[in-house]
Amino acid sequence: MARIYSDRDASLEPLKGKKICIVGYGSQGHAHALNLHDSGLDVVTALPEWDKESWKRAEKDGIKAVSLENIEGDLIAMLIPDMVQPEVYRKFVHEKLKEKSAILFAHGFNIHYNQIVPPPNVDVIMVAPKGPGPLVRRMFVEGKGVPALVAVQQNASGKALQIALAYAKGIGATRVGVIETTFKEETETDLFGEQVDLCGGVAEMIKNSFEVLVEAGYQPEVAYFEVLHELKLIVDLIYEGGIFNMWKAVSETAKYGGMTRGKRIFTSAVKEEMRKILREIQSGEFAREWILENMAGRPVYNKLLEMEASHPIELVGKEMRKLIPWLK
Ligand code: NAD
Ligand code: MG
């Protein structure tokens, strides 16, 4: 069983009187900074000079902003896009890490794949909320929280876990539950999920089923509602009560057809391919490919994104969504 921490397992004490520097004021950064500030902790955000938007937003929120040159703190949280973190770390963070201070991440990629290698005399910790930043903020304001993962990669102070839990408490995550993991587990499962299931798998399933219907002569509008729009209703049922909750809610015909035909789509060959993708993640092959792709200026990424944007389902979807009043 996973170790799950709640409010009574965590204290803000390890962060009281400590300086927290949140690098980045984006999706996660703004939420963490505001929640920690509201929890009574000493927070500044560090921002690049060119990002005037983030500077204005922090000022409006009453969070003190400093430039990257002035990063300092007992805990430095790296809340900028993963692919820019290594360079920002090398230029502005590495030399600022004091003995027994802490560096914190919200995703394990750069530590797990050695793109950032902090000195051995600092704590390396992770608090990864299982939700987007705006939700992390909204739930906190409502007195609730978003669950998070917590991990310790390096424990130089001897209190790394307590410090991570204090941070998790400060952003509201222990109000609901914080699951202990490792940088390796968080990174590999996160990449696997988004590639196979959440983003990659779902997008291909929708596009392929749409194409089959349209190629067989059915109207794209009807196909859109069938294979994309209705997916939300199904996912909501699964999210709220599990897969069986969905089976209970759909018609007898949908149950029988789904249970017998779904297995023919997700064949053992598909499952074998999932294992192959997992092995590429575990071996670092995917990480290398993505890092090199970034160094090359993202030629494949840009092309694929262009193709996604111009898929026929996007055109019909744009029109169909105009008909749906609650999407306005
Ligand atoms: P983001 O894209 O919202 O970050 C934007 C911020 O980064 C801005 O303040 C910008 O000024 C700063 N920034 C951008 N480029 C920069 C550069 N070159 N140098 C310095 N600063 C720069 O980032 P995010 O989505 O909040 O992700 C931050 C971390 O949180 C990542 O490790 C990500 O994997 C993790 N995470 C994100 C989410 C999410 O829902 N977005 C969820 C869990 C974990
Ligand atoms: Mg994820």
Side-chain angles (χ1 to χ4, degrees):
M1 263 300 270
R3 189 80 229 260
I4 303 180
Y5 301 96
S6 61
D7 262 345
R8 60 178 181 281
D9 306 310
S11 160
L12 291 173
E13 212 48 50
L15 287 176
K16 288 253 172 78
K18 298 285 172 68
K19 280 189 176 349
I20 301 171
C21 181
I22 307 280
V23 185
Y25 203 73
S27 176
Q28 291 295 329
H30 95 285
H32 294 208
L34 282 169
N35 294 3
L36 294 167
H37 176 80
D38 290 352
S39 294
L41 298 170
D42 180 359
V43 184
V44 302
T45 181
L47 299 171
E49 295 295 348
W50 51 262
D51 186 6
K52 300 285 180 246
E53 284 293 309
S54 288
W55 281 86
K56 263 190 242 151
R57 193 173 176 207
E59 191 189 352
K60 194 176 121 266
D61 292 347
I63 299 291
K64 184 182 168 199
V66 300
S67 62
L68 299 175
E69 286 76 11
N70 294 320
I71 287 177
E72 59 160 343
D74 303 296
L75 185 154
I76 298 176
M78 299 293 284
L79 299 183
I80 56 178
D82 295 298
M83 285 302 118
V84 307
Q85 286 184 17
E87 197 192 340
V88 171
Y89 174 83
R90 273 194 299 278
K91 281 196 190 149
F92 304 107
V93 179
H94 188 79
E95 53 177 342
K96 299 294 182 60
L97 290 172
K98 297 173 294 191
E99 171 100 24
K100 299 209 164 86
S101 64
I103 181 164
L104 178 142
F105 296 85
H107 176 40
F109 189 96
N110 285 305
I111 291 292
H112 182 60
Y113 294 115
N114 296 310
Q115 298 305 295
I116 292 177
V117 184
N121 63 351
V122 305
D123 291 345
V124 180
I125 56 183
M126 169 164 47
V127 174
K130 293 273 92 184
L135 190 67
V136 172
R137 178 58 184 162
R138 182 154 63 82
M139 286 295 117
F140 182 90
V141 171
E142 291 178 15
K144 303 172 200 151
V146 168
L149 299 180
V150 69
V152 172
Q153 176 85 2
Q154 250 175 229
N155 183 9
S157 68
K159 295 189 209 111
L161 179 63
Q162 288 86 330
I163 293 169
L165 288 173
Y167 188 98
K169 185 170 191 157
I171 65 169
T174 51
R175 292 173 181 172
V176 281
V178 173
I179 305 173
E180 188 165 294
T181 183
T182 59
F183 274 65
K184 173 178 159 57
E185 183 177 66
E186 187 275 339
T187 305
E188 293 177 354
T189 54
D190 189 73
L191 292 173
F192 180 81
E194 66 201 18
Q195 292 176 18
V196 163
D197 183 48
L198 306 174
C199 310
V202 166
E204 290 307 317
M205 182 179 70
I206 295 172
K207 284 184 297 175
N208 277 282
S209 46
F210 177 83
E211 287 164 11
V212 167
L213 287 177
V214 173
E215 283 160 17
Y218 298 101
Q219 301 181 78
E221 293 80 2
V222 173
Y224 173 84
F225 274 99
E226 188 54 42
V227 305
L228 188 151
H229 178 86
E230 279 193 44
L231 189 60
K232 173 171 166 50
L233 313 173
I234 293 298
V235 169
D236 282 350
L237 289 166
I238 295 173
Y239 181 78
E240 283 157 17
I243 296 174
F244 198 72
N245 186 54
M246 179 276 290
W247 286 131
K248 281 192 296 186
V250 300
S251 74
E252 295 296 288
T253 311
K255 279 191 195 67
Y256 179 74
M259 291 188 296
T260 54
R261 268 54 181 179
K263 291 181 191 359
R264 285 169 50 191
I265 300 300
F266 285 86
T267 57
S268 56
V270 171
K271 192 165 177 186
E272 192 45 45
E273 199 62 30
M274 290 182 177
R275 292 195 187 97
K276 212 167 136 192
I277 289 172
L278 180 60
R279 286 195 292 273
E280 289 168 9
I281 292 167
Q282 291 169 327
S283 69
E285 194 180 331
F286 171 77
R288 183 201 52 203
E289 184 183 319
W290 176 222
I291 291 162
L292 291 178
E293 169 72 8
N294 276 279
M295 287 179 174
R298 300 190 175 184
V300 176
Y301 170 99
N302 287 329
K303 266 282 159 272
L304 291 176
L305 212 54
E306 228 175 86
M307 283 161 67
E308 288 295 303
S310 55
H311 190 279
I313 200 168
E314 292 304 316
L315 307 180
V316 59
K318 210 171 150 205
E319 292 312 309
M320 290 305 100
R321 286 188 292 272
K322 286 182 189 158
L323 300 177
I324 304 170
W326 59 90
L327 289 182
K328 294 220 172 84

